[in-house]
Amino acid sequence: NAGVTQTPKFQVLKTGQSMTLQCAQDMNHNSMYWYRQDPGMGLRLIYYSASEGTTDKGEVPNGYNVSRLNKREFSLRLESAAPSQTSVYFCASSGPTEGRLRHTEAFFGQGTRLTVV
Amino acid sequence: AQSVAQPEDQVNVAEGNPLTVKCTYSVSGNPYLFWYVQYPNRGLQFLLKYITGDNLVKGSYGFEAEFNKSQTSFHLKKPSALVSDSALYFCAVRALYNQGGKLIFGQGTELSVKP
């Protein structure tokens, strides 16, 4: 059982380049999330998707776009990378928000360490 | 708005001593609270959660947490710390109502356990 898989694990970009971070989960979860982690700031939500076909902005969405390709996959795109986007990016997923299983915990991928120079 | 605060950036404990990592929260309504641990260069691992019921919640690796509604706190505890407990710990609260179950995190507390 792979859980949440992110690719790539490491990436170095030049300012202005674009890239897409990939995330896939095999737990049949409805909700998926993209967070960024910066020292002293905890994890901040970039975007989330409550279900297939829907996406919503989180706390720090500027400079990013997302696509919920299907129930399994949720990608994060940087159209024109900036040094301020140097961070560690985590994808996560969680189960239903209603019903008996609504309080299951979120599961995280191993992270993508992105450096923009 | 919902928020979580971890007042200590770092906690230092000697091996074998009890440890406490503090967390306070601000929510309207009943809180759903979580603790996660992050080892170096790894993702976050779930430790325990409080949804309802007993105020003392037991989790993985011997950790427990005490929910205190009057003090709006959810402190993480362990009776006897191990060097291998050294890691970054995050407290989180789940957003309520039509927000996809997203988690709002505190800034994290670095736990260092020395032999």
Side-chain angles (χ1 to χ4, degrees):
Chain A
N1 191 345
V4 180
T5 303
Q6 290 182 236
T7 55
K9 288 185 169 53
F10 301 94
Q11 184 71 50
V12 178
L13 290 179
K14 294 182 178 178
T15 298
Q17 286 186 316
S18 62
M19 78 162 296
T20 299
L21 281 65
Q22 307 286 354
C23 175
Q25 53 91 8
D26 60 4
M27 295 171 283
N28 201 35
H29 283 166
N30 293 330
S31 298
M32 297 186 73
Y33 319 89
W34 277 105
Y35 289 90
R36 61 178 287 174
Q37 181 181 18
D38 302 291
M41 304 190 74
L43 279 79
R44 293 180 293 168
L45 184 66
I46 304 171
Y47 271 92
Y48 68 98
S49 171
S51 61
E52 185 179 352
T54 69
T55 61
D56 285 283
K57 293 179 180 179
E59 184 183 357
V60 288
N62 291 345
Y64 305 96
N65 286 301
V66 291
S67 296
R68 183 75 182 265
L69 305 170
N70 47 56
K71 193 170 186 179
R72 291 187 64 248
E73 298 173 290
F74 188 40
S75 62
L76 178 72
R77 183 160 178 84
L78 287 70
E79 289 291 352
S80 179
S84 61
Q85 294 178 304
T86 294
S87 188
V88 181
Y89 292 84
F90 287 101
C91 178
S93 70
S94 68
T97 54
E98 296 177 347
R100 182 174 58 86
L101 298 177
R102 68 188 184 280
H103 297 309
T104 53
E105 61 273 20
F107 292 81
F108 284 77
Q110 294 298 295
T112 297
R113 189 172 296 273
L114 175 67
T115 302
V116 183
V117 297
Chain B
Q2 294 166 276
S3 64
V4 174
Q6 293 179 242
E8 301 157 317
D9 290 336
Q10 184 154 11
V11 170
N12 297 307
V13 178
E15 188 174 31
N17 283 1
L19 70 86
T20 298
V21 182
K22 295 179 180 178
C23 172
T24 59
Y25 65 89
S26 174
V27 301
S28 54
N30 294 323
Y32 304 124
L33 297 158
F34 300 79
W35 275 102
Y36 284 82
V37 59
Q38 184 183 31
Y39 297 101
N41 301 314
R42 302 295 298 273
L44 275 70
Q45 296 179 31
F46 168 75
L47 277 180
L48 49 79
K49 64 185 176 185
Y50 173 82
I51 304 300
T52 186
D54 288 341
N55 290 341
L56 187 64
V57 178
K58 294 190 183 296
S60 306
Y61 313 122
F63 283 93
E64 55 191 27
E66 186 171 11
F67 172 70
N68 188 316
K69 189 172 184 177
S70 62
Q71 296 186 4
T72 61
S73 67
F74 188 55
H75 299 333
L76 182 69
K77 300 182 179 186
K78 188 173 183 181
S80 179
L82 299 173
V83 172
S84 57
D85 292 330
S86 298
L88 185 57
Y89 290 81
F90 289 100
C91 182
V93 64
R94 169 156 278 164
L96 302 175
Y97 310 125
N98 301 321
Q99 298 186 69
K102 65 184 184 183
L103 291 174
I104 299 162
F105 286 88
Q107 61 268 47
T109 298
E110 187 82 41
L111 173 66
S112 177
V113 182
K114 293 289 195 286

